[in-house]
């Protein structure tokens, strides 16, 4: 999660909402890393989770990521949660709940939905205070710049 926070900081420094993600394999080896890139790539799907899953699938030459753990600083949105189910992610570890669009446990629960063909294991609240503080600081600074 430390590396995901570093990636989130880098994204925030470049004007993106600060969310970072990494994927490790079952041996604990880092396979891929990514951060939000929506603004830079002009791509609405360029969330940190999508970016990192694409990189991991390419590195492993396999779209099935069932032997992988995805760490992300913010609870995934519906798009990302659905993609994780489709990728068969073995374990999701996230930092802070997202009360607006959280699709793992907070607003909706995509992993446990009857529509999900894969049961995604989830651990939330890892390094929660650091992840929350990073987002709150970024948004506070953003609001100050706008006003």
């Amino acid at each position: 999660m430390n590396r995901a926070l570093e990636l989130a900081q880098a994204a925030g420094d470049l004007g993106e909402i600060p969310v970072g993600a990494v994927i490790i394999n079952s041996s604990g080896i880092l396979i891929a890393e990514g951060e939000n890139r929506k603004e830079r790539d002009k791509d609405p799907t360029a969330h940190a989770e999508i970016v990192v899953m694409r990189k991991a699938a390419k590195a492993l030459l396999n779209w099935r990521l069932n032997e992988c753990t995805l760490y992300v600083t913010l609870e995934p949105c519906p798009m990302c949660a659905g993609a994780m189910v489709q990728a068969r992610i073995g374990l999701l570890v996230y930092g802070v709940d997202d009360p607006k669009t959280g699709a793992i446990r907070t607003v909706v629960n995509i992993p446990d939905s009857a529509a999900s063909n894969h049961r995604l294991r989830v651990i939330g609240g890892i390094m929660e205070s650091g992840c929350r503080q990073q987002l709150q600081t970024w948004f506070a600074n953003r609001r100050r710049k706008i006003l």
Side-chain angles (χ1 to χ4, degrees):
M1 189 63 82
N2 283 322
R3 181 62 183 146
L5 275 166
E6 291 171 4
L7 293 163
Q9 183 65 48
D13 291 346
L14 293 170
E16 304 282 352
I17 294 174
V19 177
V22 298
I23 290 182
I24 62 168
N25 67 12
S26 59
S27 300
I29 297 170
L30 180 71
I31 300 298
E33 54 185 39
E35 72 280 346
N36 273 356
R37 300 191 52 88
K38 284 173 56 172
E39 299 298 331
R40 287 175 284 170
D41 292 353
K42 309 295 185 246
D43 179 354
T45 69
H47 291 199
E49 302 95 324
I50 300 295
V51 170
V52 78
M53 284 188 287
R54 286 177 179 156
K55 288 181 179 180
K58 284 184 182 178
L60 296 172
L61 302 174
N62 193 343
W63 63 266
R64 291 175 187 88
L65 303 176
N66 54 309
E67 298 294 322
C68 296
T69 299
L70 191 154
Y71 291 83
V72 63
T73 56
L74 179 65
E75 180 182 7
C77 72
M79 174 184 69
C80 294
M84 287 175 199
V85 169
Q86 290 298 312
R88 317 291 199 270
I89 291 289
L91 173 65
L92 166 66
V93 179
Y94 73 90
V96 65
D97 291 340
D98 183 346
K100 292 186 179 182
T101 65
I104 301 298
R105 301 282 184 261
T106 307
V107 179
V108 297
N109 185 331
I110 289 177
D112 295 336
S113 165
S116 293
N117 61 340
H118 168 69
R119 293 295 172 237
L120 176 62
R121 293 182 302 130
V122 177
I123 300 172
I126 302 303
M127 297 180 66
E128 181 177 4
S129 62
C131 294
R132 177 181 289 107
Q133 185 62 45
Q134 185 180 57
L135 284 159
Q136 288 175 337
T137 300
W138 187 87
F139 277 108
N141 290 338
R142 183 83 167 189
R143 282 189 293 275
R144 267 194 296 279
K145 289 178 185 175
I146 292 172
L147 300 176

